[in-house]
Amino acid sequence: MSTLEQVTTSERADLLQTLRRHRGFLRQTVEGISDEQAATRTTVSELCLGGLIKHVAGTEERWMRFAVDGADGMRSTPIDWEEQFRMREGETLAGLLDEYARVAARTDDLVATLDLDSTHPLPVAPWFEPGASWSVRRVLLHIIAETAQHAGHADILREAIDGAKTMG
């Protein structure tokens, strides 16, 4: 195995291990709660635990579509900016977690095969620098950051429900 292959293999393993760790924190936060609790807003924000699971899964899926197909892939499914953070009538925490597991497995498979240096121009949006491109590596770092940030949000929401904490 060449040095480049070893670095690439190690980098992929590190990225996946970090992403899996933060996914695990997020999933741990919702262990043992009911659908009703998962849909409960415990702060003045619109956030609920089930909605965070749904948002993180959708965000990971959209960014991985970007990693494969660029901005067109990301835009292939419309986003409901408000509903992505809520549990809709008929949604269950188990169903949202199953969808998150499906998305995570797909991401993990792609990380093993995609060229981490491959880049795509970002979609036009006010929050992106005009003309900027991101590599697959940068996309993965963004997914890790997004997952970690929302795992922290989830920990606050869960603590407000029943005092449980993911860490600490």
Side-chain angles (χ1 to χ4, degrees):
M1 180 180 286
S2 73
T3 303
L4 179 58
E5 289 173 322
Q6 290 172 340
V7 169
T8 302
T9 301
S10 176
E11 180 182 16
R12 288 175 199 275
D14 287 348
L15 290 167
L16 280 175
Q17 181 183 26
T18 302
L19 179 54
R20 288 174 181 155
R21 179 180 173 99
H22 291 290
R23 284 181 190 143
F25 288 146
L26 182 57
R27 292 180 73 91
Q28 181 182 346
T29 303
V30 299
E31 286 178 3
I33 65 169
S34 68
D35 290 338
E36 182 181 343
Q37 289 171 313
T40 300
R41 292 176 39 218
T42 61
T43 67
V44 296
S45 78
E46 292 295 318
L47 298 179
C48 68
L49 289 168
L52 280 176
I53 298 289
K54 181 168 43 172
H55 168 71
V56 170
T59 298
E60 183 172 321
E61 184 172 48
R62 278 188 302 281
W63 276 108
M64 289 311 294
R65 283 197 314 259
F66 173 86
V68 173
D69 294 322
D72 289 341
M74 182 178 252
R75 288 189 294 256
S76 65
T77 303
I79 302 170
D80 184 332
W81 291 102
E82 291 180 16
E83 289 299 315
Q84 71 174 327
F85 287 102
R86 297 181 184 135
M87 285 181 67
R88 292 187 180 131
E89 186 74 28
E91 287 182 324
T92 65
L93 180 58
L96 295 172
L97 288 168
D98 287 348
E99 175 63 9
Y100 190 29
R102 183 197 63 77
V103 168
R106 173 80 172 128
T107 297
D108 291 358
D109 288 345
L110 287 170
V111 170
T113 61
L114 290 176
D115 175 1
L116 298 179
D117 293 320
S118 176
T119 63
H120 298 288
L122 289 168
V124 175
W127 46 85
F128 293 131
E129 177 185 343
S133 294
W134 277 10
S135 67
V136 171
R137 178 182 295 100
R138 178 65 183 93
V139 167
L140 291 170
L141 292 169
H142 179 72
I143 292 169
I144 290 167
E146 181 87 7
T147 304
Q149 178 180 18
H150 287 309
H153 294 148
D155 202 36
I156 292 166
L157 297 176
R158 175 62 187 264
E159 189 172 356
I161 290 171
D162 63 5
K165 298 177 191 175
T166 304
M167 294 182 278

